[in-house]
């Protein structure tokens, strides 16, 4: 009997040992670890370097390829935002450098490309504005006016150039309407009182040398005109308008006169056909727009080519062209960076005695075939022959242990998804993270007794719908619809199940700055649970049983947080002023000419000599060299002698210096020492560090904007 018991135990022990060995072999197999992320995900440049190097080692990894693509886009957006901040402070050189880096990371960033061109124009505009001031000091007034005009062409909001051009008086503009070869360009003064219109044309013909041909329906009405010191072209235009006539130029010396009526216009007005090929505006919408604005029925759409063909007078077609150009613009675009997080507020308490749930078998050292090298007191190795001679005194059984547990934990956060979606202005973007669950909707019993069911698929999970609208002030207004749903309990019967859908829903409209972040939360779900562990029999003893019992209670509160960051990659494409604002004639006819009253008021052209007071004021101003934006403020003192001594010390280090007298808030005066002229902030910073290293008595050197110094 004792041999049978020993043999059974040996087999049991061998089985347990074999299982442990097998588990050890399995656990020792190398597992596949996840992709190691960069140390700091906010360091976008480092992330690009990391993924680039990793792809060289594993070129076929889809995870690495996706990571590189996303990190390059993130780095591009980061450098673009840095450039925008620099441009806001007029650091155009640094902004251009940042934008070039942004485009290098992601050539598809059209917003960065647009900003790069804008920064170049702004930098060039500032250059021409400074050049104009320098040319005034040198007496080159004509060239100065041209420089200021060029500065405004590059940047219409250049206030320095606008202010300077106000001191140049306007030139008289060419007001010719009819391109006729008049005998003289000298002004004329003519007076007619109740004179037949044909007689007036006869006198004009003798004075100007122009031939007039009259339509048979021209009435010999009487006109009264008193005009002095006007050109012959202006007099002719007023005569035609007040007499209800129109003129068609036959050649440079001949004009056909006919009544200004619809019937005669069909006979004499020459029409032109033009086809407009649209890029973004739909042809149907363009036809409706032009028909409403022009009142022309000769407008046709070609939907397959997305084009519009218009037939009309040349001025009418020019008006149509400007209307289309003002409305057929590239739509703005925004990238929505969405991050969905599940914040689990786990409140767990684990109190009481925890009883071990394992029993350890061991073999003592009883023969030479059993190893004695284990520090645990149990033999790690034994031969099969020695196992067959074991007795009960060599077998050891561990006693259960009890541990007092005092545990409380709170908090856990998990990122569920980080999608990015690109959408056009006023477009609709949708994100669904979850699954489509079939829900039974209808049960049918057929005539043969069989049963069929109808199913409808229900989206379950996290759904986001966003409709962004990009305005002209770098802001995005978003209509957001967020829904978090899950399959609930069965509210039907086991034979006819009907599942509830647990839903949490948010619907809102908000306005966010470009690159700003908004977090939406409060989609909370609570769950409570508890468990009890105790020693059989001992744990059931009244009062004392609590000593042999472990109670675990947990409360889990889950909150879905959604972080949305809109980044505008293409701003609204606004047309030029001459396209969005222009004169179009009268209700009865089209003309792009500016009315004479408006022409007299508007000042657009300039003579070459500005106001003398402006010349005197700008000549006294300090000279600001071209393309130098930064200097160093080195020292300030109330003594001009001390300031000049300090300036000479800085000049010994190889730097240009100058001393400026400046007023203080209490109407006193100080003398400031400035050094250097730098085109970039980086160059100024290097010079500041160099001076600090050479002279330890100067501890407050700072970089200043030269425009602020000289304003």
């Amino acid at each position: 009997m004792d041999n049978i018991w020993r043999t059974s135990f040996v087999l049991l022990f061998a089985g347990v040992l074999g299982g442990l060995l097998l588990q050890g072999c399995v656990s020792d197999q190398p597992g596949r670890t996840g992709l190691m992320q960069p140390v700091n995900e906010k360091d976008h440049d480092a992330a690009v370097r990391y993924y680039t190097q990793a792809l060289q080692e594993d070129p076929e990894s889809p995870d690495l390829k996706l990571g590189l693509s996303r990190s390059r886009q993130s780095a591009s957006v980061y450098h673009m935002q840095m450039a925008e901040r620099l441009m806001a402070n007029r650091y155009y050189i640094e902004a251009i450098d940042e934008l070039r880096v942004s485009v290098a990371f992601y050539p598809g960033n059209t917003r960065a490309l647009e900003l790069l061109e804008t920064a170049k124009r702004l930098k060039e505009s500032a250059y021409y504005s400074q050049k104009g001031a320098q040319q005034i000091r040198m007496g080159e007034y004509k060239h100065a006016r041209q420089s200021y005009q060029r500065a405004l062409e590059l940047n219409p909001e250049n206030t320095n150039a606008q202010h300077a051009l106000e001191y140049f008086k306007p030139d008289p503009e060419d007001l010719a309407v009819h391109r006729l070869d008049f005998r003289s360009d000298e002004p004329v003064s003519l007076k007619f009182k109740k004179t037949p219109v044909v007689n007036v044309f006869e006198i004009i013909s003798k004075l100007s040398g122009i031939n007039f041909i009259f339509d048979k329906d021209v009435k010999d009405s009487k006109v009264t005109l008193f005009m002095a010191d006007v050109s012959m072209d202006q007099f002719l235009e007023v005569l035609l308008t007040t007499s209800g006539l129109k003129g068609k130029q036959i050649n440079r010396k001949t004009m056909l006169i006919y009544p200004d009526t619809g019937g005669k216009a069909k006979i004499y007005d020459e029409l032109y056909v033009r086809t407009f090929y649209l890029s973004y505006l739909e042809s149907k919408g363009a036809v409706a727009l032009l028909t409403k604005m022009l009142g022309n029925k000769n407008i046709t759409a070609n939907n397959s080519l997305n084009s519009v063909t218009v037939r009309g007078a040349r001025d009418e077609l020019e008006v149509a062209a400007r209307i289309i150009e003002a409305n057929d613009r590239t739509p703005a675009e925004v990238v929505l960076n969405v991050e969905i997080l599940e914040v689990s507020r786990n409140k767990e308490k684990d109190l009481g005695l925890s009883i071990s749930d394992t029993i350890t078998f061991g073999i003592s050292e009883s023969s030479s075939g059993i190893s004695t090298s284990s520090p645990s007191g149990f033999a790690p190795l034994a031969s099969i022959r020695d196992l067959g001679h074991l007795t009960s005194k060599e077998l050891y059984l561990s006693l259960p242990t009890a541990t007092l547990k005092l545990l409380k934990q709170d908090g856990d956060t998990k990122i569920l998804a980080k999608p990015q979606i690109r959408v056009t202005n006023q477009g609709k973007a949708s994100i669904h993270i979850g699954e489509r669950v079939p829900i039974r909707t209808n049960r049918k019993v057929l005539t043969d007794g069989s049963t069929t069911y109808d199913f409808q698929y229900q989206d379950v999970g996290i759904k986001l719908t966003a409709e962004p609208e990009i305005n002209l002030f770098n802001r995005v207004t978003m209509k957001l619809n967020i829904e978090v749903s899950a399959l609930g309990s069965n509210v039907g019967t086991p034979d006819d199940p009907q599942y509830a859908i647990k839903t949490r829903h948010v619907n809102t409209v908000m306005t966010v700055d470009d690159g700003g972040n908004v977090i939406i939360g409060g989609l909370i779900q609570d769950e409570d649970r508890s468990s009890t562990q105790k020693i059989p029999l001992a744990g059931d003893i009244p009062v004392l049983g609590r000593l042999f019992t472990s109670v675990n209670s947990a409360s889990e509160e889950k909150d879905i947080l959604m972080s949305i960051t809109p980044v505008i990659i293409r701003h609204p494409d606004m047309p030029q002023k001459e396209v969005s604002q222009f004169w179009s004639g009268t209700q009865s006819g089209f003309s792009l000419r500016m009315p004479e009253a408006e022409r007299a008021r508007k000042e657009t052209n300039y003579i070459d000599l500005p106001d003398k007071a402006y010349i005197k004021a700008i000549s006294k101003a300090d000279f600001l060299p071209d393309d130098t934006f930064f200097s160093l403020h080195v020292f300030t003192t109330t003594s001009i002698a001390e300031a000049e001594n300090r300036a000479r010390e800085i000049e010994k280090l190889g730097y240009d210096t100058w001393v400026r007298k400046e007023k203080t808030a209490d109407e006193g005066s100080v003398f400031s020492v400035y050094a250097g002229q730098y085109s970039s902030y980086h160059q100024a910073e290097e010079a500041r560090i160099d001076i600090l290293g050479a002279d330890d008595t100067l501890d407050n050197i700072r970089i200043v904007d030269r425009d602020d110094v000289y304003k």
Side-chain angles (χ1 to χ4, degrees), residues 503-522:
T503 303
R504 290 165 283 171
H505 186 266
V506 174
N507 192 3
T508 185
V509 178
M510 63 184 66
T511 299
V512 186
D513 290 334
D514 179 20
N517 179 262
V518 61
I519 297 178
I520 300 175

Side-chain angles (χ1 to χ4, degrees), residues 622-670:
D622 294 280
F623 173 65
L624 181 63
D626 300 339
D627 203 24
T628 56
F629 304 122
F630 304 98
S631 290
L632 299 178
H633 177 272
V634 180
F635 187 73
T636 297
T637 179
T638 57
S639 170
I640 186 172
E642 184 180 3
E644 291 176 347
N645 289 335
R646 182 66 73 172
R648 284 191 290 269
E649 293 176 1
I650 300 301
E651 288 178 353
K652 293 178 181 179
L653 300 176
Y655 294 93
D656 295 331
T657 63
W658 67 99
V659 178
R660 282 180 55 84
K661 183 179 180 180
E662 300 171 344
K663 291 184 179 180
T664 60
D666 57 357
E667 298 302 324
S669 298
V670 294

Side-chain angles (χ1 to χ4, degrees), residues 201-369:
F201 277 106
E202 181 181 3
I203 295 173
I204 294 176
S205 178
K206 293 179 179 179
L207 293 175
S208 63
I210 302 300
N211 306 312
F212 296 102
I213 304 173
F214 295 92
D215 180 84
K216 64 179 181 177
D217 293 326
V218 173
K219 297 179 179 180
D220 194 14
S221 58
K222 296 182 179 181
V223 297
T224 299
L225 291 174
F226 300 95
M227 301 184 68
D229 294 327
V230 296
S231 66
M232 187 63 71
D233 182 84
Q234 285 180 291
F235 183 86
L236 180 59
E237 179 65 15
V238 173
L239 176 61
L240 291 171
T241 303
T242 57
S243 304
L245 303 173
K246 290 186 71 174
K248 178 180 179 180
Q249 186 171 327
I250 304 300
N251 55 45
R252 298 277 290 177
K253 284 288 187 179
T254 306
M255 175 176 282
L256 172 66
I257 308 298
Y258 60 93
D260 187 7
T261 61
K264 294 299 180 179
K266 291 181 180 180
I267 297 175
Y268 293 112
D269 287 356
E270 296 181 358
L271 303 182
Y272 193 76
V273 175
R274 181 173 176 181
T275 299
F276 301 93
Y277 294 93
L278 309 175
S279 298
Y280 305 100
L281 183 65
E282 293 185 358
S283 57
K284 292 182 178 179
V287 168
L289 177 64
L290 293 176
T291 302
K292 183 71 175 178
M293 294 296 298
L294 305 178
N296 189 341
K297 297 181 179 179
N298 297 325
I299 304 175
T300 304
N302 186 331
N303 295 329
S304 61
L305 294 178
N306 196 35
S307 63
V308 175
T309 301
V310 184
R311 183 172 184 258
R314 185 174 293 276
D315 283 345
E316 183 179 6
L317 289 180
E318 183 60 31
V319 171
R322 297 194 185 190
I323 293 174
I324 289 179
E325 185 178 354
N327 290 273
D328 188 25
R329 314 299 297 183
T330 304
E333 287 186 291
V334 61
V335 170
L336 300 179
N337 296 301
V338 182
E339 189 171 16
I340 303 173
L341 304 96
E342 182 183 72
V343 179
S344 178
R345 300 287 294 176
N346 297 323
K347 298 179 179 178
E348 182 175 341
K349 295 180 181 179
D350 196 356
L351 305 175
L353 291 174
S354 176
I355 310 299
S356 63
D357 53 1
T358 60
I359 297 177
T360 304
F361 288 92
I363 305 172
S364 66
E365 304 163 3
S366 62
S367 68
S368 59

Side-chain angles (χ1 to χ4, degrees), residues 468-487:
E469 182 175 349
I470 305 169
N471 61 31
L472 301 179
F473 304 100
N474 292 339
R475 293 183 177 179
V476 181
T477 299
M478 294 185 292
K479 296 180 182 179
L480 298 177
N481 189 300
I482 303 171
E483 180 180 302
V484 180
S485 59
L487 197 63

Side-chain angles (χ1 to χ4, degrees), residues 19-37:
L20 292 174
L21 293 173
L22 180 61
Q23 181 179 0
C25 293
V26 173
S27 62
D28 288 341
Q29 290 179 355
R32 184 175 180 179
T33 60
L35 179 65
M36 183 179 66
Q37 298 297 324

